[in-house]
């Protein structure tokens, strides 16, 4: 694994450092990029994905983020060229995603669980990320240990998306100690967040 330390670097330096490491590859390799802000996560992730990398990211602590890029080899010369010096603004809009179940739609439960996993992954691919994602009732299980969507949710959190799960729901399901991403919230905050949203998306 190659580590790119871009802690303390302002845009576009994290992108440039990462791009340089990618161009020096001679075969399949994993690149770890360390940055200290959400905008850098967004910019590096966008560039790496456009260059053919498989990208995941997570928040390790306050002002401490880790991006992992799996590459099959060096990108083509044109790939990601535009993003090398581009500093996109905060890619979060005033959208709130509300998830109230661990499955999507009605009918077959197994299919519903496949669909909700696909839905959350699709959120990670939006050009404009949501500001907040709210999880309550059965949806609370998706932010806890064992969830198939944890990797995607951690990636969203690393890019500044606020992940909030209903505390009453976690208590009801006995999951309060198993919350693995985001923070615990209450019904007042849930209502306040939804009331202030520019738009609300429900799977």
């Amino acid at each position: 694994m190659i580590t790119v330390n871009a802690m303390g670097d302002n845009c576009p330096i994290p992108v440039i450092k990462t791009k340089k490491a990618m161009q020096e590859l001679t075969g399949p390799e994993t690149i770890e990029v360390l940055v200290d802000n959400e905008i850098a996560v967004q910019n590096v992730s966008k560039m790496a994905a456009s260059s053919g990398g498989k990208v995941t990211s997570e928040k390790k602590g306050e002002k401490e983020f880790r991006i992992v890029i799996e590459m099959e080899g060096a990108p083509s010369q044109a790939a990601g060229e535009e993003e090398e010096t581009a500093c996109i603004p905060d890619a979060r809009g005033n959208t709130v995603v509300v998830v109230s179940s661990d499955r999507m739609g009605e009918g077959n439960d197994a299919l519903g669980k496949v669909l909700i996993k696909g839905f959350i992954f699709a959120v990670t691919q939006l050009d404009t990320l949501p500001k907040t994602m709210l999880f309550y009732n059965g949806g609370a299980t998706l932010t806890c240990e064992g969830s198939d969507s944890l990797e995607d949710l951690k990636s969203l959190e690393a890019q500044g998306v606020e992940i909030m799960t209903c505390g009453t729901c976690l208590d009801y399901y006995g999951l309060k100690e198993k919350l693995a991403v985001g923070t615990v919230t209450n019904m007042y905050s849930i209502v306040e967040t939804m009331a202030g949203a520019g738009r609300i998306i429900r799977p």
Side-chain angles (χ1 to χ4, degrees):
M1 179 181 287
I2 298 171
T3 298
V4 175
N5 189 343
M7 297 289 286
D9 292 335
N10 294 322
C11 185
I13 296 174
V15 176
I16 293 172
K17 283 184 173 181
T18 305
K19 183 66 175 175
K20 182 179 179 182
M22 291 167 62
Q23 291 173 334
E24 291 175 353
L25 298 180
T26 57
E29 184 61 85
T30 299
I31 301 173
E32 171 190 62
V33 186
L34 307 177
V35 297
D36 62 6
N37 65 89
E38 295 147 351
I39 305 301
V41 176
Q42 294 172 16
N43 281 287
V44 170
S45 297
K46 181 184 177 186
M47 181 278 294
S50 72
S51 299
K54 179 183 176 184
V55 186
T56 58
S57 53
E58 62 179 325
K59 184 175 183 178
K60 304 290 288 182
E62 189 65 27
K63 294 187 177 181
E64 185 180 353
F65 304 87
R66 179 175 181 259
I67 307 159
V68 176
I69 306 163
E70 295 179 26
M71 296 292 295
E72 291 301 316
S76 63
Q77 190 170 0
E81 194 171 284
E82 180 182 341
E83 289 85 353
E84 184 169 306
T85 56
C87 291
I88 60 170
D90 193 344
R92 292 173 294 170
N94 191 24
T95 297
V96 174
V97 176
V98 178
V99 182
S100 59
S101 176
D102 65 347
R103 62 208 70 187
M104 185 176 182
E106 298 178 3
N108 184 280
D109 288 346
L111 174 60
K113 290 187 175 184
V114 171
L115 294 177
I116 196 68
K117 184 179 187 300
F119 172 85
I120 292 174
F121 171 75
V123 172
T124 70
Q125 303 303 300
L126 292 174
D127 288 335
T128 302
L129 299 175
K131 181 179 180 181
T132 305
M133 294 184 73
L134 298 172
F135 294 83
Y136 55 80
N137 209 325
T141 62
L142 298 174
T143 57
C144 295
E145 295 173 9
S147 167
D148 290 337
S149 294
L150 275 184
E151 186 176 283
D152 291 331
L153 291 174
K154 287 180 177 180
S155 179
L156 287 164
E157 182 182 46
Q159 296 180 73
V161 178
E162 190 174 22
I163 310 294
M164 301 169 65
T165 304
C166 166
T168 301
C169 307
L170 291 171
D171 282 338
Y172 182 86
Y173 289 113
L175 294 171
K176 201 155 192 177
E177 301 303 317
K178 295 186 177 181
L179 184 68
V181 61
T183 59
V184 178
T185 190
N186 55 61
M187 190 53 65
Y188 177 80
S189 292
I190 289 173
V191 172
E192 189 176 49
T193 300
M194 292 173 70
R199 63 176 175 172
I200 294 173
I201 297 176
R202 292 184 174 88

